[in-house]
Amino acid sequence: MTSPTDIGAALQQDGDAGGTTEPFGLGSSPLRSDALPKALGIYPYAADLWAEGLLWGAVLRSPHPHARILGIDTSAALALPGVHAVVTAADLPAGPDGLPDGAPSGPIVADRPVLAAGVVRHHGEPVAAVAADHPDTARLAVGLITVDYEPLEAVTDPEQAFTAPPLHPDGNLFRHLPLRTGDPEAAGEVVVEGLYQVGRQDPAPLGAEAGLAVPRPDGGVELHLSSTDPHGDRDRTAACLGLEPDRVRLVVTGVPGATADREDPSFQVTLALLALRTGRPVKMTLTREESFHTHTSRHPALLRYRHHADAEGRLVKVEAQILLDGGAYADVSAEALAAATAFSVGPYNCPNVFVDAWAVRTNNPPAGRMRGEGALQACFAYESQLDQLAARVGVDPVEIRRRNVMATGDPLPTGQAVTCPAPVGALLEAVAGEPLPALPVDDPDAEWLLPGGPGGAGDPAAVRRGIGYALGMVHMLGAEGEDEVATATVRVSGDHATVICAAVDAGQGFATLARQIVQSVLGVSEVYIAPADSDQSVAGPSARGRHTWVSGGAIERAALMVRHQLLQPIAANFGMSAELLQIADGKITSYDGVLGMPVAEALEGKELWATAQCRPHPTEPLDEAGHGDAFVSIAFCAMRAVVDVDIELGAVRVVEMTVAQDVGRALNPRQIEDRIEAGVAQGVGLALLEDLRTEGGLLANPSLTGYRLPTALDTPEIRVAALLEERDVVAPFGAKAVSAVPAVTAPAAVAAAVRAATGLPVGRLPIRPEDAVTG
């Protein structure tokens, strides 16, 4: 059997090491180091972990969206043979008032109990946990725990949260953000209004959410998890358990891809608590239904918009009300609201903007971080408004956008100048100029391409084609004063290098990029990426493209310091400055070509290392008028969607998505295109399929049969029309994040195309069949 440490080492040896005969360094597209083991099914994930003396954990979850806990009887569970521990909120450290409060935690606001204490606030909230010698025994024991609930009225409509009794001591309002820019009396000759709704999209990670906790001799605990933020998760776990952070170690193990946080704090803290209570390793693997209950999802949103424009369609004023349903606990609702508010107009110029935005608490499942949180919801609304405006003014959708797009130097409604490259107009022209796909009705052998497929119930004569456009934007890194910093160490010994950095590769290919950075700077082909864990220096969470910028920047700086150590004595021997030497193609050469030697020869017998940090320029919170320099940088995307709609059945087939994206610099072109395709597929899923429904606060479809994800057959042809490389001068390498902005833009583009095909307003995501039926 394999120990946790052995698995982690094997993962990195198989996935993140090495020499390569493939393209070398930045700008090339080497094969991802974990691609083959994942394709072969031999990549070790957290669900594969095992340890000697292993116990299995299981969690009891609330069947109610809102209820008071009157009592918990665990005696029957404890009496079951094979059960080693049962824990509740009473087993966690008491709060400041001396009462058990469930050790609340959270990424920003500590309001979410590890185990419910006195009150449950959403369906599936953890109430108790069991450790037993077999997973079936653990689940059977969970069923023997008796909880006496007093059901309470559930607040499931976010508009009711303003007047409902407080659901939490912190109240029902997470944040109210007003934005006031320009003249409130300004008005346009043309006015369009709309009400828009975005449903609950779940990250639905295909890999099982699992982990292993191992007690340590010093009274601490070691966690092996597919974490995307090892230091944040370690610190929150330690705080909830009343331990010093150095007595909790978190080892990142086999992240199977993540477009959001992998686990909520209750999972990892409960796992650690069971290990500490039993003195034995405890493993937990969630079922698919539990997974839907455990992690956070995208914020459902209600958006009311009014656009004012002059007779030619140029924006005069935008008014909006934005309401985000944050669910039972705060998580990152304040961050999502800031993005929705700041990007409420989109990548367009408008001198007068008046927005009121709220994020509220309900008894719905908690919402949290997911690609483009806040920005996606706003994008759907403002792009729908632009389509309305184009129809009213009498111009096509491309022209209305062309007349309003922002450029570098233009201000956001928050007053912040967009100093990074903002080639929005060029992106729009790139997608508009691409040829359109052929119509399937022109090919008698292409009947399967029609909505419904061959032999479907629909009539091909009822199929209409629609073309829609959308422009999207997202911010990169943390916002509103959040400190972003990463530390990395680069060691070179002989002909190979090692990178030590706690940045987690959550599927975005960072390990491959890190290797390319070192290869480019040092000319060493053999590069090993050490496993990430919380004993290393902080690198921060895998979110908002921060690792490309911050962690990649730290790796580059450390590699440059090692490069100087290598070149300085060589230059001194030849009486020149080290700056006159360059490394390329594995060789060190002088500016005049006189000196030349292989890097491997220069490194022979040497061991060099350096540690460096990268910290972007600071930002500031938005003030009471919604103003401030809140963002480090912004990425932009343009998209064209082509759809075929059966207007009698409401069946929609996305034929093609054409993308032009602002990438700053293409560090790995193939990887960039892969990330764009993944983001588009996720956006198409929200546009047409993905909707985690609740009925009275209860999850109605927590399974992969009830929650519909796009398959390969649902994913359209994705054409990358342009990767515009205007380098951001303040970013390491000049590169921008690429994953989030396609996911933000795609739903709006698909909705625009369905709107064009049907002539219907399409004010809701996902688009239901009844939303696309014209008669």
Side-chain angles (χ1 to χ4, degrees):
M1 304 297 284
T2 307
S3 71
T5 304
D6 293 336
I7 280 182
L11 163 65
Q12 298 295 337
Q13 291 284 0
D14 291 341
D16 295 337
T20 178
T21 58
E22 293 185 327
F24 190 95
L26 293 175
S28 64
S29 296
L31 181 69
R32 280 184 50 163
S33 51
D34 59 354
L36 185 59
K38 285 183 175 178
L40 293 175
I42 61 175
Y43 185 88
Y45 295 109
D48 301 314
L49 294 171
W50 183 88
E52 192 70 36
L54 183 69
L55 298 176
W56 296 82
V59 174
L60 175 68
R61 301 179 183 278
S62 168
H64 304 285
H66 195 201
R68 187 172 288 111
I69 298 175
L70 302 180
I72 303 177
D73 184 355
T74 63
S75 57
L78 284 167
L80 185 69
V83 172
H84 290 256
V86 180
V87 295
T88 66
D91 297 288
L92 291 160
D97 57 4
L99 299 174
D101 62 356
S105 183
I108 299 175
V109 179
D111 69 341
R112 185 175 187 175
V114 171
L115 296 170
V119 177
V120 293
R121 297 184 176 89
H122 70 90
H123 181 212
E125 182 164 6
V127 175
V130 171
D133 55 12
H134 191 278
D136 290 343
T137 304
R139 296 192 184 282
L140 181 60
V142 162
L144 294 175
I145 299 173
T146 302
V147 182
D148 185 9
Y149 292 105
E150 178 191 345
L152 302 172
E153 183 178 356
V155 177
T156 59
D157 182 346
E159 292 187 283
Q160 294 177 354
F162 295 100
T163 56
L167 303 176
H168 187 279
D170 292 346
N172 294 348
L173 181 64
F174 294 132
R175 187 179 192 183
H176 171 223
L177 189 55
L179 175 58
R180 307 284 185 263
T181 298
D183 179 8
E185 302 301 322
E189 298 175 61
V190 181
V191 178
V192 295
E193 299 185 44
L195 175 64
Y196 306 98
Q197 184 178 355
V198 178
R200 186 185 308 278
Q201 185 183 28
D202 194 90
L206 297 183
E209 294 179 76
L212 173 68
V214 182
R216 301 195 327 189
D218 65 357
V221 65
E222 184 169 289
L223 288 163
H224 296 257
L225 298 167
S226 53
S227 168
T228 58
D229 182 12
H231 290 90
D233 288 341
R234 176 203 64 183
D235 293 346
R236 287 186 284 272
T237 300
C240 291
L241 294 174
L243 298 174
E244 293 298 319
D246 61 3
R247 293 177 66 188
V248 176
R249 182 183 181 217
L250 196 150
V251 180
V252 178
T253 306
V255 180
T259 59
D261 294 337
R262 282 291 305 179
E263 295 96 10
D264 76 290
S266 69
F267 175 84
Q268 59 218 32
V269 178
T270 301
L271 196 60
L273 178 62
L274 289 171
L276 292 172
R277 176 59 60 91
T278 61
R280 290 171 61 175
V282 179
K283 177 179 176 178
M284 198 181 300
T285 302
L286 301 185
T287 65
R288 177 55 56 183
E289 182 174 347
E290 286 181 303
S291 183
F292 275 103
H293 284 294
T294 298
H295 56 241
T296 57
S297 53
R298 190 180 300 283
H299 290 78
L302 189 66
L303 309 99
R304 294 180 174 89
Y305 267 75
R306 180 185 295 125
H307 277 52
H308 297 248
D310 64 19
E312 296 181 342
R314 291 183 176 84
L315 294 176
V316 174
K317 183 169 71 171
V318 171
E319 301 170 286
Q321 293 178 329
I322 299 171
L323 178 60
L324 300 185
D325 180 357
Y329 298 110
D331 208 84
V332 296
S333 290
E335 285 187 3
L337 194 73
T341 304
F343 303 148
S344 56
V345 179
Y348 303 106
N349 286 312
C350 183
N352 308 292
V353 180
F354 295 86
V355 178
D356 274 293
W358 302 269
V360 297
R361 189 191 307 272
T362 65
N363 291 121
N364 291 321
R369 183 171 286 123
M370 195 170 173
R371 278 180 180 156
E373 60 267 16
L376 181 148
Q377 293 89 331
C379 182
F380 171 54
Y382 65 66
E383 288 299 288
S384 298
Q385 287 286 103
L386 263 289
D387 282 346
Q388 269 204 77
L389 186 60
R392 287 284 301 277
V393 173
V395 298
D396 66 55
V398 172
E399 181 58 30
I400 199 70
R401 289 165 172 81
R402 189 180 287 132
R403 294 178 185 183
N404 288 287
V405 292
M406 66 164 46
T408 303
D410 288 338
L412 295 173
T414 59
Q416 178 175 351
V418 180
T419 55
C420 67
V424 187
L427 296 173
L428 178 63
E429 300 304 330
V431 296
E434 286 292 302
L436 290 165
L439 291 166
V441 293
D442 295 336
D443 182 354
D445 297 324
E447 184 184 351
W448 66 275
L449 292 174
L450 293 170
D459 179 358
V463 175
R464 302 289 183 270
R465 172 152 289 187
I467 302 167
Y469 295 86
L471 301 177
M473 61 195 299
V474 296
H475 69 92
M476 293 178 287
L477 313 182
E480 294 194 274
E482 183 176 342
D483 185 28
E484 292 281 12
V485 63
T487 304
T489 298
V490 174
R491 297 180 183 273
V492 178
S493 180
D495 62 351
H496 68 276
T498 299
V499 176
I500 302 172
C501 182
V504 176
D505 190 334
Q508 79 276 39
F510 179 73
T512 302
L513 178 60
R515 192 166 68 247
Q516 289 180 264
I517 293 169
V518 175
Q519 289 171 340
S520 288
V521 175
L522 295 176
V524 177
S525 64
E526 193 91 16
V527 182
Y528 171 74
I529 311 300
D533 68 56
S534 61
D535 283 352
Q536 299 166 1
S537 299
V538 174
S542 298
R544 299 179 297 267
R546 66 179 319 282
H547 284 328
T548 298
W549 184 315
V550 188
S551 300
I555 291 170
E556 182 196 36
R557 292 180 184 184
L560 287 170
M561 293 166 68
V562 171
R563 175 191 173 108
H564 186 77
Q565 295 173 30
L566 173 64
L567 297 182
Q568 184 63 41
I570 297 173
N573 287 340
F574 287 88
M576 66 176 66
S577 168
E579 285 70 26
L580 298 178
L581 299 177
Q582 65 177 3
I583 298 177
D585 300 324
K587 293 182 179 180
I588 300 172
T589 57
S590 61
Y591 74 101
D592 54 9
V594 173
L595 170 65
M597 71 170 65
V599 171
E601 179 183 327
L603 285 170
E604 188 173 353
K606 295 181 179 179
E607 184 163 341
L608 308 173
W609 68 276
T611 298
Q613 278 191 342
C614 179
R615 176 180 267 116
H617 64 80
T619 57
E620 62 187 20
L622 298 175
D623 63 21
E624 63 278 1
H627 293 176
D629 290 349
F631 308 113
V632 176
S633 188
I634 299 171
F636 302 90
C637 177
M639 204 168 292
R640 183 187 71 193
V642 179
V643 305
D644 286 339
V645 183
D646 186 321
I647 60 173
E648 292 180 346
L649 299 179
V652 178
R653 175 179 174 264
V654 183
V655 177
E656 182 183 88
M657 301 291 288
T658 303
V659 187
Q661 190 157 323
D662 150 50
V663 300
R665 177 186 174 192
L667 304 180
N668 183 320
R670 182 168 63 186
Q671 198 158 271
I672 286 175
E673 293 198 13
D674 290 345
R675 303 311 296 155
I676 289 173
E677 289 179 2
V680 170
Q682 189 173 44
V684 169
L686 174 59
L688 297 176
L689 299 171
E690 298 185 51
D691 189 9
L692 188 60
R693 303 188 310 276
T694 58
E695 297 174 0
L698 303 179
L699 283 182
N701 57 332
S703 70
L704 291 184
T705 53
Y707 184 83
R708 299 182 301 157
L709 287 168
T711 67
L713 294 178
D714 300 301
T715 304
E717 182 74 23
I718 299 171
R719 179 191 301 178
V720 178
L723 298 178
L724 293 191
E725 296 188 59
E726 293 187 25
R727 298 190 183 188
D728 189 341
V729 296
V730 301
F733 328 110
K736 290 188 176 185
V738 298
S739 297
V741 69
V744 164
T745 314
V750 172
V754 173
R755 193 178 295 120
T758 63
L760 298 173
V762 187
R764 182 189 185 278
L765 294 178
I767 303 166
R768 301 164 296 186
E770 56 265 37
D771 299 329
V773 174
T774 62

